[in-house]
Amino acid sequence: HETQPGEPMSTLHFDIHILAPREQVWRQMLYSPGYEDWTSAFCAGSTYIGSWDTGAQIRFLDPTGTGGMVSEIAEHRPAQYVSIRHLGFIRDGVEDTCSEAVRAWAPCYENYSFTDEAGGTRVRVALDLFGEYESYMKDTWPKALDRLKRLCESQP
């Protein structure tokens, strides 16, 4: 079911408790090499180009560097909150932010919050859904967060 303009988008929510300090979890989630590790649950070899600073452009790329998402950082409060505004796709190295297919869902948001809880960090993810990705996201996000948890908890 494609979201039509003006139709409310559904949002998926995921969370996990990680026995590591909030700043460590935040760094592992956003910066290399941690980012490439936990996101391999979605696509091995995926990476990003750009900055996590509020207002900055960022591109999330597949291993070839020719496919992915065109996005910007809507808000970033270090070790507390990150809001990614997805604006379009990259296909065969070409950015698409204005086709009818993209305008049906863009912008949509992916938000991460980090809070202190029970001697560790609670990571909460809220993800606007678009297109046919619901079952994939419901299946893959928990695996990705488990990878992040193992990564963070294995660090000294």
Side-chain angles (χ1 to χ4, degrees):
H1 168 261
E2 289 289 323
T3 302
Q4 298 303 312
E7 183 181 341
M9 212 174 294
S10 57
T11 303
L12 293 179
H13 297 272
F14 304 96
D15 72 272
I16 194 165
H17 182 259
I18 299 174
L19 288 171
R22 192 164 30 107
E23 180 151 324
Q24 177 188 341
V25 174
W26 163 77
R27 284 191 186 285
Q28 290 289 353
M29 193 166 190
L30 299 190
Y31 299 101
S32 292
Y35 175 86
E36 289 80 5
D37 184 309
W38 77 269
T39 60
S40 69
F42 295 101
C43 178
S46 50
T47 190
Y48 66 88
I49 295 174
S51 166
W52 291 100
D53 296 336
T54 298
Q57 295 290 306
I58 192 165
R59 277 141 188 79
F60 298 97
L61 300 170
D62 67 17
T64 69
T66 62
M69 299 287 292
V70 178
S71 307
E72 69 183 11
I73 304 305
E75 185 176 350
H76 186 182
R77 295 189 313 271
Q80 295 175 28
Y81 181 76
V82 179
S83 179
I84 305 163
R85 181 183 298 120
H86 295 299
L87 303 172
F89 287 118
I90 303 167
R91 287 195 180 95
D92 298 320
V94 178
E95 293 184 10
D96 174 6
T97 57
C98 56
S99 70
E100 191 172 321
V102 167
R103 285 196 326 262
W105 59 263
C108 72
Y109 291 83
E110 184 173 330
N111 300 322
Y112 310 148
S113 65
F114 306 86
T115 52
D116 295 326
E117 183 182 302
T121 304
R122 174 68 59 184
V123 177
R124 289 184 175 87
V125 177
L127 174 73
D128 289 341
L129 265 180
F130 59 90
E132 304 296 322
Y133 296 99
E134 183 171 5
S135 63
Y136 175 74
M137 292 298 174
K138 283 181 174 177
D139 182 54
T140 310
W141 262 103
K143 294 173 186 171
L145 290 174
D146 283 341
R147 282 189 75 91
L148 179 66
K149 178 181 177 75
R150 285 196 309 276
L151 179 67
C152 293
E153 291 180 353
S154 69
Q155 302 294 314

